[in-house]
Amino acid sequence: MGHGKARLDLEQLIDAMFHSVWREALGAGLRTNPSKLRPAATEPLIASTLSVRGERSLDVRLECPHSTAQALAAAFLRKPSHSLAQDDLQSVVDELANILAGNLKGALPGRSELRSGRAAAQDSQGAVLRAGVRRELEFGGWPCVLLVSDARDGD
């Protein structure tokens, strides 16, 4: 399979699963972003990196501006946003990245395993950002970025 075909397949897979997965995970609890404005470039990001290792190995990274992470965490945990701690936001971004990576893993051929947390971040530091598919996604008007790339050899 050529790189162009693999990239197209990966983009189609991401697009097909994103909204259905997040609709299930977040339900109707996510309030719509009233302004639909893009966050300031200086707004801190909350990110999570995972790896899928198998016949086809991928690095997966979800990045959310702080305001998006707060809205997603409030919906996911079904709590008011003002009651959330920073750890809650990170935990929810980690879990949503895990759900997305798990769905990608399930759609790949052959056996594979999901690596999460520090092991994945150490394995793929910078690899996800270097090349691959970058999808700017929105759910309820809340923006985030999903980066998926074929893993480096030797990981």
Side-chain angles (χ1 to χ4, degrees), residues 19-137:
H19 284 285
S20 63
V21 168
W22 278 34
R23 194 174 357 270
E24 290 295 319
L26 299 171
L30 180 65
R31 66 180 176 81
T32 302
N33 184 349
S35 64
K36 296 202 181 202
L37 293 175
R38 289 294 194 211
T42 57
E43 185 174 342
L45 290 177
I46 297 179
S48 183
T49 302
L50 296 102
S51 299
V52 178
R53 295 296 181 259
E55 187 176 313
R56 182 171 183 191
S57 294
L58 299 173
D59 292 319
V60 179
R61 181 174 174 87
L62 178 64
E63 297 178 348
C64 300
H66 187 272
S67 57
T68 294
Q70 189 168 28
L72 297 176
F76 191 84
L77 299 173
R78 291 164 177 54
K79 290 183 174 181
S81 59
H82 68 272
S83 70
L84 300 171
Q86 186 70 20
D87 287 348
D88 294 326
L89 278 58
Q90 184 64 59
S91 293
V92 168
V93 171
D94 288 345
E95 183 58 28
L96 292 172
N98 186 55
I99 291 168
L100 291 167
N103 276 269
L104 283 171
K105 173 189 168 290
L108 294 174
R111 294 178 51 129
S112 58
E113 68 177 26
L114 189 60
R115 293 185 191 173
S116 61
R118 292 184 185 177
Q122 290 169 355
D123 283 353
S124 61
Q125 189 66 33
V128 173
L129 303 174
R130 188 174 62 236
V133 175
R134 174 187 168 89
R135 296 308 256 191
E136 292 189 21
L137 304 168

